[in-house]
Amino acid sequence: MRDLIRKLPKVELHLHLDGSLRGRTVLELAENRGLELPTYSLEELMEYLQVNDNCNSLAEYLEKFELPLKIMQTKEALTRVTYELIEDAALENIKYLEIRFAPLLSTEKLNAEEVMKAVLAGIEQGESDYDLQANLILCCMRHQDPSKSIEVAQLAIEYLDQGVVGLDLAGDEANFPPEEHEEAFKLATEAGLHRTVHAGEVAGAESVKKAIDYLNAERIGHGIRSNEDKETLETVKESGVTLEVCPTSNLHTNVITNLVQHPIREYYELGIPVTVSTDNRTVSDLTLSQEYLLLYEKLGFSLTDIWNLISSGIKASFITKEEKEKLIVNFKDEFKNITDYSL
């Protein structure tokens, strides 16, 4: 099953660039710039980039982004890490990928335009070398002044036809409610830019409802605490909002204490659209194939269930109806060839 899942065509919609850097790349880029690292041993460096089983909170999890963000301050670094993420995804047969990152966090030496062009250059190189389509989602950060979110929204709109498909709100969910950033998402909606919002991870169901009511979210990043309130759960179901579920990440941030407790099965059986992602490949030391294998082994998802999750991801992707239909047809053919399984 491990080999079969790895071969299956897949999509990933919730994947952070700064949480998915290769350790060796961090070493090399730091050396190129003369940056001081806490260690120059690759094995020891991974302790600064990955969580372990003792991670107790989202705050502790987010500490693993500090070093990658220091690295991601040059055109060379941004292009390279983007290209390598596409390469890593292609190696496990991910065919469509939405990469998210906060462009304003890479502007120590570059302006926002330079940051965007460097990341888009990495995507262009990756798409040229691999059978994979990738797009960008730009992240507003909750802790920053709402004017910064407006700046990010305007940047996303500027690049709407050049590889950017969506706007996200990420960061400290517990202390910064989504309504503070309503104006940025209003701009995004009016411009035809798609919206996804981190919610229902460390904060409860109210955070999810606010993301839908105030920010017009089409997808919710995580959203696993939606079931804490019956009205919110009904809102999610009736609105057709897709939950971008990242089970292992939820375990690492201590939102759940055991994978068996994860509510993805409950949401799936309720008919709520759910899609599966890794969140951060490096921080969680995880591939999308491994995430699906865990669902199969720990939560009883069958091959048909896995197809339904993959299909849900295609339907929720921020691409055109025609592109979605083409992916569905191609995925069905490839799925049958790999599994000898008719859908």
Side-chain angles (χ1 to χ4, degrees), residues 109-326:
K109 299 179 182 295
L110 305 172
N111 61 44
E113 297 282 344
E114 290 171 322
V115 170
M116 291 302 302
K117 288 177 181 177
V119 172
L120 289 168
I123 288 180
E124 184 178 358
Q125 291 176 19
E127 289 181 331
S128 175
D129 289 348
Y130 296 98
D131 180 20
L132 183 152
Q133 178 187 359
N135 283 312
L136 286 177
I137 295 173
L138 303 193
C139 295
C140 307
M141 302 305 298
R142 288 175 181 266
H143 70 279
Q144 292 185 330
D145 189 276
S147 65
K148 293 293 184 181
S149 293
I150 292 173
E151 186 178 339
V152 174
Q154 291 170 337
L155 188 66
I157 293 166
E158 180 183 347
Y159 284 90
L160 182 55
D161 296 322
Q162 302 174 57
V164 174
V165 293
L167 191 69
D168 180 25
L169 182 64
D172 186 353
E173 183 190 359
N175 295 308
F176 297 92
E179 58 265 35
E180 293 181 3
H181 303 269
E182 184 176 6
E183 184 61 31
F185 281 77
K186 182 181 179 182
L187 286 174
T189 302
E190 291 173 350
L193 192 68
H194 292 288
R195 289 86 51 206
T196 178
V197 177
H198 281 71
E201 185 180 13
V202 296
E206 183 183 6
S207 176
V208 175
K209 193 168 188 305
K210 283 184 174 182
I212 297 170
D213 291 345
Y214 288 100
L215 306 188
N216 198 20
E218 299 167 84
R219 300 192 325 228
I220 296 292
H222 302 291
I224 68 166
R225 295 180 62 180
S226 301
N227 60 359
E228 293 178 355
D229 176 70
K230 185 177 180 181
E231 182 182 345
T232 298
L233 194 62
E234 197 61 34
T235 297
V236 171
K237 186 175 181 180
E238 289 181 358
S239 64
V241 167
T242 295
L243 303 183
E244 305 162 352
V245 180
C246 310
T248 299
S249 173
N250 299 148
L251 183 65
H252 287 157
T253 56
N254 210 31
V255 180
I256 55 170
T257 57
N258 189 301
L259 199 63
V260 176
Q261 299 174 335
H262 201 285
I264 183 173
R265 183 95 221 178
E266 173 191 349
Y267 297 146
Y268 174 73
E269 291 179 352
L270 282 172
I272 292 172
V274 289
T275 181
V276 177
S277 296
T278 58
D279 199 8
N280 301 282
R281 295 171 71 96
T282 300
V283 178
S284 287
D285 189 20
L286 185 70
T287 67
L288 185 58
S289 300
Q290 290 169 334
E291 194 78 287
Y292 275 114
L293 184 64
L294 286 171
L295 294 183
Y296 172 77
E297 292 178 340
K298 303 292 185 181
L299 292 171
F301 278 80
S302 67
L303 204 54
T304 300
D305 295 331
I306 289 172
W307 161 254
N308 289 336
L309 292 173
I310 292 171
S311 177
S312 181
I314 296 173
K315 293 172 184 175
S317 62
F318 292 156
I319 53 178
T320 66
K321 180 182 177 182
E322 291 73 24
E323 289 174 307
K324 292 178 185 182
E325 290 173 350
K326 184 177 179 181

